[in-house]
Amino acid sequence: MQQIEELKQEINAYEADGADGAEAFRIKYLGTKGIVKNIMGEMKNVPNDQKKAFGLLVNEFKQVAETKYETLKAAAGSDETSASNIDLSLPGTPVTVGSRHPLSLVRNQIVTIFKRLGFAVAEGPEIEDDWHNFGAMNLPEDHPARDMQDTFYINQNPAWLLRTHTSSVQARIMEKQKPPIRVICPGRVYRNETISARAHCFFHQVEGLYVDEHVSFADLKQTLYFFVQEMFGKDVKVRFRPSYFPFTEPSAEMDISCLICGGDGCAVCKHTGWVEILGSGMVHPKVLENFGIDSNKYTGFAFGMGVERITQLKYQVNDLRLYSQNDVRFLKQFTGAV
Ligand code: 2U9
């Protein structure tokens, strides 16, 4: 008992330096081979009539040691990073900053431009039925795009397929909504293609649709002209070439003057001075009628563009596979772009 009293005083007077000192105290007094355990082991040598008093004393002693240890630990800081042992002059640990995917960047730019013109943004399912993807779009039963060679059908239920364009989203809008309709539909589409630098089994589109009274081909031209000027700069020139799509009549493809050579002719524009960027046209009356929209009262224009194509022109990406290989050497070139 005398010894315990002395040890208590020793503990009260104990001074420790930092976390190491606190740990040394713990080992000395509270460790498995420490003084507290040692004294507890003495219980067997204590006469029976004094065991109770001895027990109380030992417990109190243990508490004194534990309290002291907590105090020493708190004073040292709870772990290794106490303010005293951080060297504030060292450079910080670098945090690798991610970047937006180039396709997301360009899709956002396209969407922002059309939103300013009053277009709403809509999304829809990637697994579609034949009607929304083909039938409603005026693609006949025997159209080659419906072929297994061109379209991915779902094995378990061939009535379902992976959408080949985002027109199916506009179809779903027209089902629910009366004109005026002014919407753009960004999204991923799938085609059964052999993967190469110039083709992939999936890519991304932004399609647009504007249906109202008195919508004309002039509206189409001005809208798309405004879009390319915002996207590529005021100096860009455009030209429309007649084309054919089952869902538009008349149809036109739009070219812009080559951004690389300014129209003089280079490898990118195959020495024509022009590069194709999108397809467009006046919505086919049959497509409007498919949704109960009176084609005598309403007209509309539609367009579609590949986001990969626009990104290729904007950032000179020359291999489609780069977009989905997740190679950080490619992706980190877009750090900081917004
Ligand atoms: C509705 C009616 C008509 C959307 C259109 C195009 C022309 C077109 C291609 C561009 C490159 C697809 O990504 S691409 O391969 N698209 O040329 N798309 S008009 O026409 C519609 C859409 C919806 C209801």
Side-chain angles (χ1 to χ4, degrees), residues 170-243:
Q170 285 107 297
R172 287 178 178 279
I173 302 267
M174 292 213 289
E175 238 166 27
K176 292 195 301 250
Q177 216 177 296
K178 298 251 156 302
I181 294 170
R182 191 155 53 192
V183 71
I184 51 163
C185 303
R188 183 173 290 172
V189 301
Y190 299 82
R191 294 184 189 177
N192 192 356
E193 302 251 12
T194 307
I195 296 169
S196 73
R198 277 174 299 279
H200 213 295
C201 59
F202 64 80
F203 65 101
H204 301 79
Q205 287 189 327
V206 176
E207 286 203 350
L209 174 71
Y210 181 15
V211 182
D212 201 352
E213 288 180 61
H214 315 302
V215 175
S216 70
F217 203 88
D219 296 321
L220 177 157
K221 287 178 82 175
Q222 188 55 37
T223 303
L224 297 177
Y225 184 43
F226 175 82
F227 163 69
V228 293
Q229 284 199 321
E230 290 300 297
M231 196 72 200
F232 297 107
K234 296 280 177 215
D235 295 336
V236 70
K237 293 187 212 36
V238 299
R239 72 173 187 187
F240 287 85
R241 281 177 292 106
S243 187

Side-chain angles (χ1 to χ4, degrees), residues 245-261:
F245 305 110
F247 29 83
T248 47
E249 183 60 36
S251 306
E253 274 164 293
M254 191 172 95
D255 297 343
I256 57 169
S257 49
C258 181
L259 301 164
I260 308 296
C261 63

